[in-house]
Amino acid sequence: RAKGQGGGGYVLFDRGMHEEALRRLDLELDMRRALEKDQFEAYYQPIMRVADGRLMGFEALVRWNHPERGLIPPAEFIPLAEENGLIVHIGRWMLGEACAQMRRWQRAFPRRPALTVSVNLSARQLLHPEILPEIRRILRETGLSARHLKLEITESAMLEDAERAIELLEALKRTRLQLMLDDFGTGYSSLSYLHRLPIDALKVDRSFVMHMHERVEDRSFVETIVNLAHTLGRSVVCEGVELPEQEALLRELGVEYAQGYLYSRPVTAAQAEMLIIDDAVHAGRRR
Ligand code: C2E
Ligand code: MG
Ligand code: MG
Ligand code: MG
């Protein structure tokens, strides 16, 4: 009960609400220390080229190795980190970590076509006044070339202040990195707005890919997005590809890149390195 009964006027939380509030507070305190204690870890999920099945790069996805609670997925702490501002620090760490890792891989595998790394950027990070110098510094310090870094931004991140967001994206583009519009289809962007965004690719949300092999409407929806993207000169990445039937449809539709459990779940850096080696072996065999 959130309200006192009758004339008392005091507020009574029920046990569930109380426990939830404590849990959140706990998590928030732990999160503040997690960075110093090095408890965050970058996982990597491969992104494949649909036409020939080659590995093109990875999306870096944060995990929290909590000493008592185990591996916590981003859905359970990123929203909280966005509210309390810690996302700026976590995000900065992820960018540095992912860029450094990708540069190490590029050095370790100099003969394969250069891989790219995609990093998610939340609205708070994008609108942070230091974002541009931060990114430039990270690229300089890690030695990763800007064209091998992709930033994933959601439509909702741009709703708050669209004009400012567009200016920022244009400034980011001038550093020559690539911009992806993440979770596309779940937001509200209008056509004219989409046209103005200096993005390189649309990432079609998993919720549309999931049923495209069994529901004509979903299939038409993906087809429409692909046509739209190609009309605007953008490429398409489909996320959440789990079945060969889905992959076959993407190939038919001319989708450039795919990501999903069909290829691999997000894995540790050490496991990702095995995927890079596998890809080289397969590419060698195809030749
Ligand atoms: P996202 O950027 O859309 O990332 C894709 C999510 O879909 C990942 O979940 C990935 O594990 C999952 N996924 C990929 N393929 C499949 C599939 O075939 N089947 C299913 N069921 N799921 C698949 P994850 O790693 O739990 O991340 C969730 C979200 O958390 C991300 O969605 C992103 O919005 C956010 N996130 C993750 N890392 C970061 C980060 O470093 N910074 C920020 N700001 N957000 C992050
Ligand atoms: Mg993403
Ligand atoms: Mg996504
Ligand atoms: Mg998504």
Side-chain angles (χ1 to χ4, degrees):
R1 266 169 282 117
K3 279 223 171 99
Q5 296 210 320
Y10 54 85
V11 176
L12 244 176
F13 290 95
D14 67 34
R15 185 175 287 268
M17 280 170 74
H18 185 65
E19 275 170 8
E20 176 53 28
L22 280 182
R23 216 188 95 87
R24 264 178 74 104
L25 193 64
D26 244 26
L27 204 62
E28 184 166 343
L29 290 173
D30 287 352
M31 210 190 305
R32 289 189 186 279
R33 290 188 208 105
L35 270 174
E36 301 155 31
K37 294 187 175 169
D38 213 20
Q39 289 171 0
F40 290 110
E41 187 172 353
Y43 271 53
Y44 296 91
Q45 187 178 33
I47 299 174
M48 318 300 289
R49 185 161 58 201
V50 175
D52 59 2
R54 272 217 86 168
L55 176 68
M56 299 309 288
F58 293 95
E59 177 172 4
L61 295 155
V62 71
R63 299 289 182 265
W64 180 3
N65 265 312
H66 192 285
E68 286 118 41
R69 297 182 207 204
L71 208 62
I72 309 183
E76 283 173 40
F77 64 93
I78 292 285
L80 186 59
E82 276 168 355
E83 273 175 48
N84 65 26
L86 280 174
I87 189 66
V88 171
H89 302 276
I90 300 173
R92 184 186 296 137
W93 177 82
M94 272 298 280
L95 257 173
E97 179 70 18
C99 290
Q101 180 58 261
M102 184 44 71
R103 188 64 195 122
R104 281 196 291 274
W105 280 329
Q106 290 181 347
R107 288 209 167 98
F109 303 97
R111 293 180 52 220
R112 61 149 298 136
L115 293 163
T116 63
V117 68
S118 304
V119 180
N120 294 284
L121 210 68
S122 74
R124 281 285 280 265
Q125 262 183 293
L126 178 67
L127 299 173
H128 192 273
E130 290 297 303
I131 186 68
L132 262 172
E134 284 286 350
I135 288 177
R136 284 202 201 96
R137 176 184 61 80
I138 288 171
L139 290 172
R140 192 173 59 242
E141 287 179 3
T142 60
L144 186 75
S145 150
R147 66 181 195 282
H148 298 140
L149 172 63
K150 302 184 177 190
L151 296 180
E152 300 196 357
I153 294 151
T154 60
E155 296 162 88
S156 53
M158 279 166 288
L159 282 180
E160 286 173 36
D161 188 345
E163 290 309 315
R164 170 122 191 272
I166 291 178
E167 272 173 34
L168 269 166
L169 296 185
E170 278 166 352
L172 284 170
K173 272 310 295 177
R174 283 194 289 274
T175 71
R176 317 196 69 139
L177 50 70
Q178 296 183 58
L179 294 174
M180 327 289 284
L181 198 53
D182 206 353
D183 298 344
F184 188 75
T186 62
Y188 303 92
S189 63
S190 73
L191 276 182
S192 62
Y193 177 55
L194 188 61
H195 186 53
R196 288 184 54 207
L197 290 179
I199 49 156
D200 299 280
L202 298 181
K203 285 194 87 166
V204 179
D205 193 66
R206 181 166 74 87
S207 55
F208 304 105
V209 178
M210 202 157 53
H211 299 292
M212 66 181 294
H213 61 295
E214 54 192 13
R215 281 216 298 252
V216 195
E217 312 89 86
D218 289 42
R219 199 206 144 147
S220 314
F221 189 84
V222 175
E223 185 170 11
T224 304
I225 298 178
V226 173
N227 290 337
L228 170 67
H230 289 171
T231 302
L232 297 175
R234 272 58 154 180
S235 52
V236 178
V237 187
C238 280
E239 55 179 37
V241 181
E242 296 188 359
L243 304 167
E245 299 95 286
Q246 294 162 346
E247 183 191 57
L249 285 171
L250 299 185
R251 190 170 288 122
E252 246 174 66
L253 296 180
V255 169
E256 284 86 354
Y257 308 106
Q259 178 181 354
Y261 293 176
L262 176 64
Y263 314 102
S264 167
R265 288 178 180 251
V267 295
T268 62
Q271 291 168 313
E273 195 157 316
M274 293 300 158
L275 298 175
I276 301 176
I277 294 169
D278 277 356
D279 175 71
V281 171
H282 283 116
R285 234 181 255 145
R286 276 194 299 265
R287 246 185 263 119

